[in-house]
Amino acid sequence: MKMMGSCSRSSFFLILFLLHSLFLTSLSEIRFSEIRNDDRPIVPFDQFGFTHSGRLELNVSKISLSNSNLDLSKVGFFLCTLDSWLHVLQQLEDGEIRCALQSDLVKSVYTFSSLEGKDSFSTLYSETDADQYNLVFANCHPQQLKVTMDVQSAMYNLDGKSGVRDYLSAGSTVLPRVYFLFSLVYFALAAVWIAFLYKKRLTAFRIHYFMLAVIFLKALNLLCEAEDKSFIKRTGSAHGWDVLFYIFSFLKGISLFTLIVLIGTGWSFLKPFLQDKEKKVLMIVIPLQVIANIAQVVIDESGPYGHDWVTWKQVFLLVDVVCCCAVLFPIVWSIKNLREAARTDGKAAVNLMKLTLFRHYYVVVICYIYFTRVVVYALETITSYRYSWTSVVAAELATLAFYVFTGYKFKPEAHNPYFVIDDEEEEAAVEALKIEDEFEL
C-alpha cells in the first residue's frame, strides 16, 4: 500500500509536469541529465512529438544502485502518452498492476534487469506510432532503492526522403521559419518607426525613442530564437544561440513592461517626471522580470527531471502574473488624474480625448495579457501536438497587434500632445463629462 501511495503521488507529479509543459513548446535537444541518490518512483524527462519515423537514443552511464538484490524488471525507462498515463493511474488504483512498467499501455524502452552487472547501457528505440510521448524513468522500489546515473537522451524524427534527423518535435519543426519571418516584420516595423520619428522629430519625445529600442530588442530576440531552434532542429544543440536568446529575451521583457508603465504614467509626453509611486512600480516590475528570466533559464536548461523544476515553473508563472497586474496601476492612476483635471482646468475636450485614449489602452493591455497568458494556453491544450506551432503564431500576432496599436495611438503629433480644439468641441466635451458615467476599472 505504501508503494501504491507513493506511486499515486508520483503520478500526480507527472501529470503536473505534463500540464505545465504545455506552456513550453515541445522540442528535444541532446540532453545530459545527472541523477544522484534519487528515490523518486517517477522521474519525467523530455516530451516529444514523434512522426511514424521517430527515434529515441538513450545512453545511460555510471549507474549505481543502493540495493541490487531487488527485482530490477521494475526499474527502467518507458515512453507513454498523457492518455495512456491516465489509464495506467487507474490500473494502479484498481490493483491490476503494482508497477507502471507492468502496464501494457506504456512502451518499455529499457529495464535494469538487462544490465547483468554492467554500469552503463546504450539503446536505440524506434517509434512508429505517431503521437506525443514522454520519456519517463520508473522506480517501483522507492522505499528500498536509490538510483544514481548519468542520462544522455536524444529524441528525433527522420525525414521520409533523405533520412535527415529533425530534433524538433513534430509540431515545432516549422518554428525556425515562423520566428525568422516575425523578426523580419519587426525589423521592417522599426524601419517605419525610424522614418516616422525623423519626419516628426520636432514633436518626438523620449518615450518614442524608447519604443524604437523595444521594437529592436523584440526583433533581435526573435532572430536569436529562430537561430536557436534552427540549430536544435539540425544538430540537437543550440550552439550558443540559446545564450543570446536568453540575453535578448531578458532585455525585451524588462523593456516591454517598463514601456507599458511609462506610457501608463504619461512620462515625457504628458509630464517630464515620474512620481514616487510610479517609480515604486518600476522598482517592483524590473526585479520581478529579473527573477522571471532566471526561472525561465532554469526551467529550460534543467529539464523536468530536476527536483525543483516544478517549483521554478510555479515561480515563473507567479512572477509573470504579478508583473502583468503591476503594470495596470499606472494606467489606472492616469485615468483618475485625467478625470479630475477634466473637471477643473478648463480644458475639457483635450482631457476627455486623453482620458478616452488611456481607457482604450487600459482595455487593450488587459486583452493582450489575457490572450497571451490564457487564450494561447487554451489553444495549446485543445490543439493537436502536430499543430502546436499555431499557438506560437497566435501569440506573436497578438504581440505584433499590441505593438502596432501602441505605436499608432501614442505616435508623435504635430501639435500640442494630441489635439487642436475649437469652441464647439470644447462645449461638447464639457457636456459629455457631465453626463458620463463613472468609468469602472
Side-chain angles (χ1 to χ4, degrees), residues 116-133:
E116 298 178 348
K118 297 181 295 183
D119 66 349
S120 64
F121 70 88
S122 297
T123 186
L124 174 63
Y125 184 88
S126 299
E127 181 53 68
T128 57
D129 296 328
D131 209 332
Q132 184 162 267
Y133 290 89

Side-chain angles (χ1 to χ4, degrees), residues 323-382:
C323 284
C324 291
C325 294
V327 297
L328 296 175
F329 284 104
I331 307 175
V332 174
W333 295 334
S334 292
I335 290 173
K336 290 182 178 179
N337 291 337
L338 287 170
R339 285 194 62 83
E340 294 173 359
R343 292 189 174 92
T344 58
D345 66 0
K347 299 179 180 179
V350 171
N351 285 313
L352 179 61
M353 291 180 182
K354 293 178 183 177
L355 179 63
T356 303
L357 174 63
F358 274 86
R359 287 177 177 178
H360 290 167
Y361 191 62
Y362 176 82
V363 173
V364 168
V365 170
I366 290 180
C367 291
Y368 169 69
I369 292 172
Y370 179 80
F371 188 89
T372 54
R373 269 67 178 177
V374 179
V375 175
V376 170
Y377 169 67
L379 184 62
E380 288 185 7
T381 305
I382 64 176

Side-chain angles (χ1 to χ4, degrees), residues 40 58 122 214 225 278 305 327 361 397 436 439:
R40 286 177 292 173
L58 188 61
S122 297
V214 173
E225 191 159 12
E278 295 162 348
Y305 68 88
V327 297
Y361 191 62
L397 286 175
E436 183 187 52
F439 182 61

Side-chain angles (χ1 to χ4, degrees), residues 67-82:
N67 186 351
S68 59
N69 296 321
L70 300 170
D71 181 4
L72 296 184
S73 65
K74 296 181 179 180
V75 181
F77 292 87
F78 66 88
L79 291 171
C80 73
T81 64
L82 176 58

Side-chain angles (χ1 to χ4, degrees), residues 382-402:
I382 64 176
T383 303
S384 168
Y385 76 98
R386 294 175 178 272
Y387 305 103
S388 60
W389 58 270
T390 57
S391 60
V392 175
V393 172
E396 292 300 334
L397 286 175
T399 302
L400 178 62
F402 178 71

Side-chain angles (χ1 to χ4, degrees), residues 114-251:
S114 302
L115 282 175
E116 298 178 348
K118 297 181 295 183
D119 66 349
S120 64
F121 70 88
S122 297
T123 186
L124 174 63
Y125 184 88
S126 299
E127 181 53 68
T128 57
D129 296 328
D131 209 332
Q132 184 162 267
Y133 290 89
N134 296 272
L135 175 62
V136 184
F137 175 76
N139 173 11
C140 296
H141 306 289
Q143 307 298 326
Q144 304 165 280
L145 181 64
K146 292 184 178 181
V147 180
T148 296
M149 58 184 172
D150 293 340
V151 180
Q152 180 176 301
S153 61
M155 290 188 279
Y156 54 87
N157 294 309
L158 297 176
D159 185 273
K161 297 179 180 179
S162 61
V164 175
R165 296 182 178 187
D166 184 349
Y167 288 92
L168 287 181
S169 179
S172 305
T173 188
V174 300
L175 285 184
R177 282 175 285 175
V178 169
Y179 287 125
F180 181 70
L181 289 176
F182 273 106
S183 71
L184 293 180
V185 171
Y186 278 97
F187 278 121
L189 191 62
V192 171
W193 191 246
I194 290 173
F196 190 79
L197 289 182
Y198 180 78
K199 181 179 179 182
K200 301 285 186 177
R201 58 188 179 278
L202 297 179
T203 55
F205 296 95
R206 285 174 290 175
I207 191 70
H208 298 119
Y209 294 100
F210 190 72
M211 290 181 185
L212 177 61
V214 173
I215 296 173
F216 263 121
L217 288 173
K218 176 65 175 177
L220 290 171
N221 175 243
L222 287 170
L223 181 62
C224 291
E225 191 159 12
E227 288 298 318
D228 177 46
K229 298 294 185 290
S230 178
F231 273 95
I232 291 175
K233 176 184 173 72
R234 290 181 282 117
T235 67
S237 174
H239 291 275
W241 281 99
D242 53 341
V243 177
L244 289 175
F245 164 69
Y246 290 134
I247 291 173
F248 284 112
S249 180
F250 168 72
L251 295 175

